[in-house]
Structure formats: structure tokens, C-alpha cells
Amino acid sequence: MSGNGTNTGDDPLQTAVWRLRSRACWSDAAALLPSDTATYSLQRAGLMVERCLYTEQGWEEAEDALRTAEAQARTDEERGAAACERGQLAYAATLHGVRDRADEARAALGRAAALIPPGAPGRALLDFRRGLLAENLTRSPQAARAAYRRAHAAATAHADPLLLSFTWRHLAGLALREGELSEARHGFAESLRIREELGYLVGTAPALASLADAESEPEASRLREEAGRLFRLLGGVPTWLARQLTPPAPGAATA
């Protein structure tokens, strides 16, 4: 559920890709990218994998894009980046109940860790994804927190605001589960602020809904209403957000 920032050096192509990606138009964004280099093939694969995670669709297209990226990778970092995307696709398929590919996800992310050197820009995203695996498949919040913190520090060092929005949100989610409301609100608010500043529309509704989970009424309902408006505007994407936007039942305990 992450990627590399928005645009480097005001490249018109990357600006166009970012605008489409941020509005949940992953296929259109991928279609803009040339197919003759490993860099673009890896970016296309990342877009297709993200589409799967947000829409629960496009699995075959993502597999095709990944195979192309894997075939074109020449350096260890390119191979590591392709393995990182392979692990994320397997994680998404497992998370959404398409097929249990947890072992494949672990193996691919482990392979990526062996290929991407510490301190490389791609290491931050890898650490974040290893945190997702630990949190949602292994059910190990301590390991997840450690991975998210490594990713957070690296994203800060490499000036990757989009990834920071994800690490803030997931660290806040762990804090919320432990009853640390102040820490959770701060993290969710930072994630929302960054996404609004970047114009990351497809990620703004989840950020609003997460902040709502840490707020009391009437602010929680206001945030969920705004999240629902954006969710409907994007045609029900991300699909998994529908469950989070359902308000708690009357009398239920709330954060």
C-alpha cells in the first residue's frame, strides 16, 4: 500500500503518472510508461500490484507486469525491487483471501532483503512491507512495530513523504490497539496531513477513517462522513474501506 513519493525533478511523465495513480487510475498510469527499461517495468509492476491491493482485481495483469520486470532486472537492486513487488502481490492475495500465498510472500521479501543493501532507497519500502506481513499475517505486533520504525526512519532520511504517510498510519494503528489514544491521534493526523498535501486522493479516505477510529463523537462521525464521500467519489475504492466506514453499533465500546 505504498510507493516512492510523487515526482522527482518535475518530470512531466512522472507528474502524469502520479496524478492518475492518486485518483485510482492505475491501469491508465501504467499505460503511460515505456516498456523498454527495467526501471519503468518495475514502476508498472508496482502500479499493478497496488491496484490489486486497493481493488481486489487485476491479479493476472499484475502477474504479467511482474514477470516482465523480473525478466528485465539486471542489477541486484532491480532484482530486489522485483522480489519486493512479488512479495507484496503474494501478501495482497493472502490478505484478500484470493489464495494463501503467505509462504511465497515471506520468501520473496526475504530474497529482496538479501539483494537490497541497507541504506538503499528501496530498503524503506521493503521494511514497511515486512511490517505489513508481521502485523496482518504473522500477527506479531512487536515485529511489525520494529519494521515500521525502520521504514519510518529510512523514509525520513530519503525524503519519501508518501511512505511516511503509511508508516505514520500503521504505527498509529498499533498504538490505538494498545489504548494509546494520544499517540494514535497524532500518527493518524500526520498521515492525513501528508496525503492531503500530496493530493493522494485514493489514500485520503482511509486516512480520514483511521483518524475517526481514534476520535470521539461528533468528530468521529464527521470524519467518517467525509471519508465516505471520497470513497463514493472513487467508485468504492479501496474496496476494504467499506467495512471501516460502518459506524459502531449503538452501545458498542469505542476508542
Side-chain angles (χ1 to χ4, degrees), residues 17 173 184 228:
V17 168

Side-chain angles (χ1 to χ4, degrees), residues 1-13:
M1 289 172 51
S2 183
N4 300 321
T6 55
N7 186 12
T8 301
D10 295 322
D11 181 338
L13 173 60

Side-chain angles (χ1 to χ4, degrees), residues 21-202:
R21 176 192 177 189
S22 65
R23 288 157 178 77
C25 300
W26 294 279
S27 295
D28 292 338
L32 295 178
L33 296 170
S35 58
D36 56 347
T37 70
T39 298
Y40 286 130
S41 291
L42 284 166
Q43 187 178 6
R44 182 181 297 103
L47 289 167
M48 293 293 93
V49 170
E50 187 171 82
R51 177 192 174 199
C52 291
L53 190 62
Y54 276 71
T55 69
E56 303 179 57
Q57 296 178 357
W59 304 98
E60 286 303 318
E61 291 93 332
E63 289 285 356
D64 289 344
L66 256 177
R67 282 191 287 267
T68 298
E70 288 165 344
Q72 291 185 339
R74 293 292 179 267
T75 68
D76 280 352
E77 284 198 48
E78 289 171 350
R79 294 185 186 97
C84 188
E85 295 301 336
R86 172 68 63 188
Q88 181 72 350
L89 183 62
Y91 162 79
T94 306
L95 187 72
H96 288 313
V98 176
R99 184 159 60 90
D100 186 350
R101 298 172 59 180
D103 289 343
E104 180 187 352
R106 292 187 191 95
L109 294 183
R111 187 163 64 252
L115 290 166
I116 302 173
R123 193 78 184 200
L125 180 59
L126 172 61
D127 281 334
F128 172 71
R129 289 175 170 176
R130 296 179 93 178
L132 291 177
L133 201 72
E135 179 181 3
N136 297 315
L137 299 189
T138 309
R139 306 297 179 188
S140 177
Q142 289 184 336
R145 182 180 292 104
Y148 291 150
R149 284 176 174 167
R150 289 195 302 272
H152 191 86
T156 301
H158 291 288
D160 186 344
L162 182 59
L163 183 54
L164 276 175
S165 81
F166 281 94
T167 55
W168 272 122
R169 180 165 172 259
H170 283 268
L171 285 168
L174 293 176
L176 182 62
R177 290 175 203 171
E178 295 178 353
E180 300 291 341
L181 286 183
S182 178
E183 182 180 344
R185 287 192 192 103
H186 175 70
F188 288 141
E190 283 296 297
S191 177
L192 176 60
R193 177 187 62 79
I194 292 170
R195 293 180 180 194
E196 288 180 335
E197 288 178 356
L198 293 176
Y200 188 50
L201 192 62
V202 72

